[in-house]
Amino acid sequence: MLLTSDKFASLLSSLSLTQGLFKPVPELLDSGFGSVLSPTVAPSTSISSSTIPTNKSSLGFASKSHPGSALPISFIPTQVLDQSGDCTVQPYNAPDIPQKFVPFDQTRANVFRYRQQQSVNLGSWFVHESWMTPSLYRCAAGKKISELDIASGWGSTDAARTLLEKHWDSFITQADFDYLANIGINTVRLPIGYWSLGPAYCQDTPFAQVADVYQNAWSRVVNAIIMADKANIGVLVDLHGAPGSQNGQPHSGISDGQTNLFDDPSNINKTIGVLSFLMQQLAYVSNVVGIQILNEPQNVPSLPDFYTQAITAMRQITPEGSSFPLYLHDGFDLERFSDYIASRTDFVVEDHHSYFVFTSSDAAESASDHSADVQSSIAGSLAAASAKQRRNLVVDEWSCALTAQSLSGEADRKQAQESFCTDQMNVYAGSTAGWAFWSYTKEDCQTDPGWCFKAAVGNTLPSSFFSYSGSHSGQALTHAQGSADNTTSMSSTSQLRQSASHDLPPLLKRFVTIHDRRTNSSSPRRDDSFNINQHSVNKGYSDGYLTAMVFGTYEGSKLGFVGQYVDDSRSSLGGSVIVPGTEGYYADWFLKGLADGEAFFGGGLTQL
């Protein structure tokens, strides 16, 4: 089946491969222009009081219950102590913590790593922020604003460890992952600090004196990944706090405001050691979709060189590391790192964060104008960057938060915030390979849909987030998933033939058989240029169509990192199948087949 040029143009438009401007780096709020408010919460004070976040704040309307078939997670108080002012931590008998990953499945890993991501951040689980989990800071030391202050407080390291271990075991549970899967969230971003790896990685750092607090931390990180896997959710492991600090912010673990990573070779080596450990431990975990090298680093001149050094070291750790996805935050400089990503051919992804509450100009702009910006200049800049870098771009922090000043002139403040929120989600989904809301939960979540995803669902956000609109619950695809675990990995010819022997869903089995007969029965005759070109056209279209089918059988997934997948597929096929000089035919027609496959698969879902 061939597509017309008009239909192909529609495909490009649907993938947002078309234009540029983005918001400046978020700055700390100060008392000079006001604060971020919730209509149901008292105003935040100035930054000097240490009661508002350094890069996130709060806004929202009273929450609704979650409509739809998926059951909501109850708003369970996360405070672990009484409010009497007593800093005594009660004894805690921790349960056995699972530590064994399921066997690695390359096909499943490919689907998880290349698919379009609907994601949430699991903030303040392993890296604490005082505005999100204030109860843990009640008896913290020092300025009471960072992870280190918690570990250094509470009277002893034994008490701090007990406090944190209970938090790790109760703040987010298997029920939360199941809930997320049932509303269409297929990925989570998991912020961790270098201290989360355990006492050995705390030595010769500010955490050295409290290293004992983290003796059981890594087992909890592993368990978080295991729980996500049970719900078929992918995990992006994000190094939120690096040795020396990449940004001097409390959410990097420290309270002194110092950025000492990039100008200290010892801290650079420690950070690369942390990243190498993560690669060694996680490259062969099927539901780990990638490792984020740093969160929100200062955009120093040496940042690209640091990234290159880290990537080179990580890719040498294990054979799987050569193709493992690595995520790079752009230091709020979209264009600079779009160029960096575009200059590479390996699977590296730019992460860009988008907030509208941290500058005086943000506060002065109305909610409606912010929405207009999102749909115009911001959408254009993201689309242009995405097209340049093979769609290797995500917006892995954003929220529904707006300042009270931005909402003050709106006739319907609730509707204005809802439009602002859904406009963001739609633009980020259309222009990039995925988004991640900040954050899934926090204390007093139910009053804060601006920053708390659980409160926003069915309120300022939709009730579900599936890639295919016809899929209203995780069970809608059960009939198509039974044997999909053994299907194709990036469309290699030999794997397609092998997959045809498995008990695939009828639709997929029929297409694999047709694909195998039409595209793999013979190699192109090299003395016939038309035949060579046509072979790549046929192969591209059929591979694209089959990819849509295979991804769809995994929880209704869609291909997200499209350009990277096409390039990697073409490389795996080799020159004997895609003759040099015909790569463009293969790529163009892969996209056409992909679009037709997604349309066909989605149409089937609507008939269920």
Side-chain angles (χ1 to χ4, degrees), residues 448-579:
D448 194 3
W451 287 106
C452 189
F453 182 78
K454 287 194 297 184
V457 172
N459 184 357
T460 52
L461 283 172
S463 300
S464 65
F465 305 88
F466 296 97
S467 293
Y468 286 97
S469 60
S471 177
H472 296 294
S473 76
Q475 298 177 347
L477 297 167
T478 301
H479 77 290
Q481 292 175 304
S483 303
D485 287 346
N486 294 315
T487 55
T488 181
S489 170
M490 291 197 301
S491 305
S492 93
T493 302
S494 61
Q495 288 166 325
L496 282 169
R497 292 186 175 187
Q498 182 182 12
S499 69
S501 66
H502 293 293
D503 184 21
L504 300 174
L507 175 63
L508 188 55
K509 178 185 288 186
R510 173 178 176 271
F511 187 80
V512 168
T513 303
I514 296 171
H515 175 281
D516 216 27
R517 183 173 65 247
R518 290 183 178 178
T519 67
N520 295 327
S521 59
S522 63
S523 299
R525 299 203 323 263
R526 292 182 177 263
D527 60 346
D528 185 342
S529 61
F530 176 81
N531 183 58
I532 291 172
N533 293 343
Q534 190 62 43
H535 179 84
S536 291
V537 166
N538 294 345
K539 179 66 173 163
Y541 184 87
S542 57
D543 280 3
Y545 196 104
L546 179 60
T547 295
M549 296 294 103
V550 173
F551 274 64
T553 61
Y554 279 82
E555 306 292 327
S557 300
K558 286 184 178 180
L559 182 61
F561 294 96
V562 178
Q564 189 70 49
Y565 187 93
V566 171
D567 287 352
D568 292 347
S569 294
R570 191 174 56 206
S571 176
S572 70
L573 291 169
S576 63
V577 177
I578 306 301
V579 175

Side-chain angles (χ1 to χ4, degrees), residues 38-281:
S38 166
T40 57
V41 180
S44 300
T45 57
S46 69
I47 189 66
S48 60
S49 69
S50 301
T51 60
I52 67 172
T54 56
N55 80 326
K56 307 169 186 82
S57 199
S58 64
L59 164 91
F61 297 88
S63 63
K64 298 178 180 178
S65 61
H66 301 293
S69 59
L71 295 176
I73 296 298
S74 299
F75 291 111
I76 302 173
T78 56
Q79 297 181 0
V80 297
L81 303 172
D82 63 46
Q83 296 302 300
S84 65
D86 183 9
C87 291
T88 301
V89 179
Q90 299 301 317
Y92 172 59
N93 294 319
D96 292 334
I97 305 298
Q99 288 297 286
K100 188 175 182 180
F101 295 120
V102 299
F104 183 63
D105 182 325
Q106 183 69 70
T107 298
R108 188 165 176 257
N110 281 342
V111 173
F112 277 45
R113 293 170 184 179
Y114 286 93
R115 70 182 173 184
Q116 184 77 22
Q117 296 173 3
Q118 297 90 235
S119 181
V120 295
N121 283 274
L122 305 183
S124 227
W125 193 7
F126 296 103
V127 179
H128 288 93
E129 302 192 30
S130 59
W131 65 281
M132 295 183 68
T133 47
S135 68
L136 300 183
Y137 287 86
R138 183 160 56 82
C139 295
K143 297 180 180 179
K144 301 179 185 291
I145 60 174
S146 72
E147 178 85 21
L148 182 59
D149 294 341
I150 298 174
S152 302
W154 294 96
S156 70
T157 55
D158 285 344
R161 182 175 69 252
T162 298
L163 178 83
L164 288 177
E165 287 183 359
K166 184 171 183 179
H167 173 81
W168 297 334
D169 295 344
S170 60
F171 188 62
I172 294 172
T173 68
Q174 186 65 57
D176 293 288
F177 287 106
D178 294 342
Y179 163 68
L180 288 171
N182 283 336
I183 61 171
I185 296 299
N186 63 20
T187 309
V188 294
R189 182 171 178 255
L190 181 65
I192 65 170
Y194 65 89
W195 54 88
S196 303
L197 277 57
Y201 288 88
C202 295
Q203 302 310 307
D204 194 27
T205 77
F207 282 80
Q209 297 302 311
V210 295
D212 184 61
V213 172
Y214 298 96
Q215 61 183 260
N216 298 316
W218 179 248
S219 66
R220 266 60 177 210
V221 174
V222 169
N223 189 44
I225 297 170
I226 291 171
M227 288 192 292
D229 189 48
K230 289 178 180 177
N232 288 316
I233 288 177
V235 179
L236 173 61
V237 178
D238 157 42
L239 185 58
H240 221 69
S245 179
Q246 71 278 13
N247 54 30
Q249 299 296 326
H251 56 72
S252 70
I254 49 88
S255 301
D256 61 11
Q258 299 296 309
T259 302
N260 292 320
L261 169 58
F262 302 109
D263 57 359
D264 186 333
S266 175
N267 284 329
I268 290 174
N269 289 336
K270 290 188 187 79
T271 300
I272 291 178
V274 168
L275 293 166
S276 297
F277 173 86
L278 294 175
M279 177 67 85
Q280 189 271 331
Q281 293 288 311

Side-chain angles (χ1 to χ4, degrees), residues 257-573:
Q258 299 296 309
T259 302
N260 292 320
L261 169 58
F262 302 109
D263 57 359
D264 186 333
S266 175
N267 284 329
I268 290 174
N269 289 336
K270 290 188 187 79
T271 300
I272 291 178
V274 168
L275 293 166
S276 297
F277 173 86
L278 294 175
M279 177 67 85
Q280 189 271 331
Q281 293 288 311
L282 303 177
Y284 291 97
V285 179
S286 302
N287 73 312
V288 173
V289 304
I291 295 169
Q292 179 148 6
I293 292 175
L294 293 174
N295 173 68
E296 295 184 355
Q298 284 190 1
N299 189 21
V300 297
S302 63
L303 184 56
D305 292 338
F306 172 83
Y307 278 148
T308 298
Q309 183 179 355
I311 292 168
T312 300
M314 295 173 74
R315 297 229 180 275
Q316 294 174 352
I317 297 300
T318 178
E320 180 67 16
S322 63
S323 59
F324 187 83
L326 298 175
Y327 288 60
L328 320 177
H329 187 269
D330 58 16
F332 298 97
D333 191 337
L334 179 64
E335 283 192 31
R336 183 186 190 196
F337 284 92
S338 179
D339 291 338
Y340 179 86
I341 299 294
S343 71
R344 303 184 63 97
T345 59
D346 57 331
F347 201 163
V348 289
V349 180
E350 180 178 6
D351 175 21
H352 184 69
H353 296 174
S354 185
Y355 293 116
F356 298 82
V357 295
F358 295 109
T359 68
S360 56
S361 60
D362 282 339
E365 191 168 334
S366 70
S368 297
D369 286 345
H370 280 309
S371 293
D373 288 346
V374 166
Q375 296 181 78
S376 56
S377 60
I378 293 172
S381 67
L382 291 173
S386 185
K388 182 194 303 183
Q389 61 204 61
R390 309 180 301 284
R391 212 164 189 261
N392 286 9
L393 175 65
V394 293
V395 178
D396 267 358
E397 285 192 27
W398 65 283
S399 77
C400 296
L402 289 163
T403 67
Q405 184 177 343
S406 290
L407 286 166
S408 62
E410 300 291 345
D412 186 336
R413 297 177 63 180
K414 174 76 166 57
Q415 182 58 50
Q417 190 183 21
E418 181 177 346
S419 297
F420 166 73
C421 202
T422 55
D423 287 344
Q424 283 189 90
M425 184 187 71
N426 292 334
V427 165
Y428 303 153
S431 299
T432 78
W435 51 260
F437 188 96
W438 187 281
S439 182
Y440 171 61
T441 192
K442 60 185 286 290
E443 293 179 13
D444 296 321
C445 171
Q446 65 269 36
T447 64
D448 194 3
W451 287 106
C452 189
F453 182 78
K454 287 194 297 184
V457 172
N459 184 357
T460 52
L461 283 172
S463 300
S464 65
F465 305 88
F466 296 97
S467 293
Y468 286 97
S469 60
S471 177
H472 296 294
S473 76
Q475 298 177 347
L477 297 167
T478 301
H479 77 290
Q481 292 175 304
S483 303
D485 287 346
N486 294 315
T487 55
T488 181
S489 170
M490 291 197 301
S491 305
S492 93
T493 302
S494 61
Q495 288 166 325
L496 282 169
R497 292 186 175 187
Q498 182 182 12
S499 69
S501 66
H502 293 293
D503 184 21
L504 300 174
L507 175 63
L508 188 55
K509 178 185 288 186
R510 173 178 176 271
F511 187 80
V512 168
T513 303
I514 296 171
H515 175 281
D516 216 27
R517 183 173 65 247
R518 290 183 178 178
T519 67
N520 295 327
S521 59
S522 63
S523 299
R525 299 203 323 263
R526 292 182 177 263
D527 60 346
D528 185 342
S529 61
F530 176 81
N531 183 58
I532 291 172
N533 293 343
Q534 190 62 43
H535 179 84
S536 291
V537 166
N538 294 345
K539 179 66 173 163
Y541 184 87
S542 57
D543 280 3
Y545 196 104
L546 179 60
T547 295
M549 296 294 103
V550 173
F551 274 64
T553 61
Y554 279 82
E555 306 292 327
S557 300
K558 286 184 178 180
L559 182 61
F561 294 96
V562 178
Q564 189 70 49
Y565 187 93
V566 171
D567 287 352
D568 292 347
S569 294
R570 191 174 56 206
S571 176
S572 70
L573 291 169

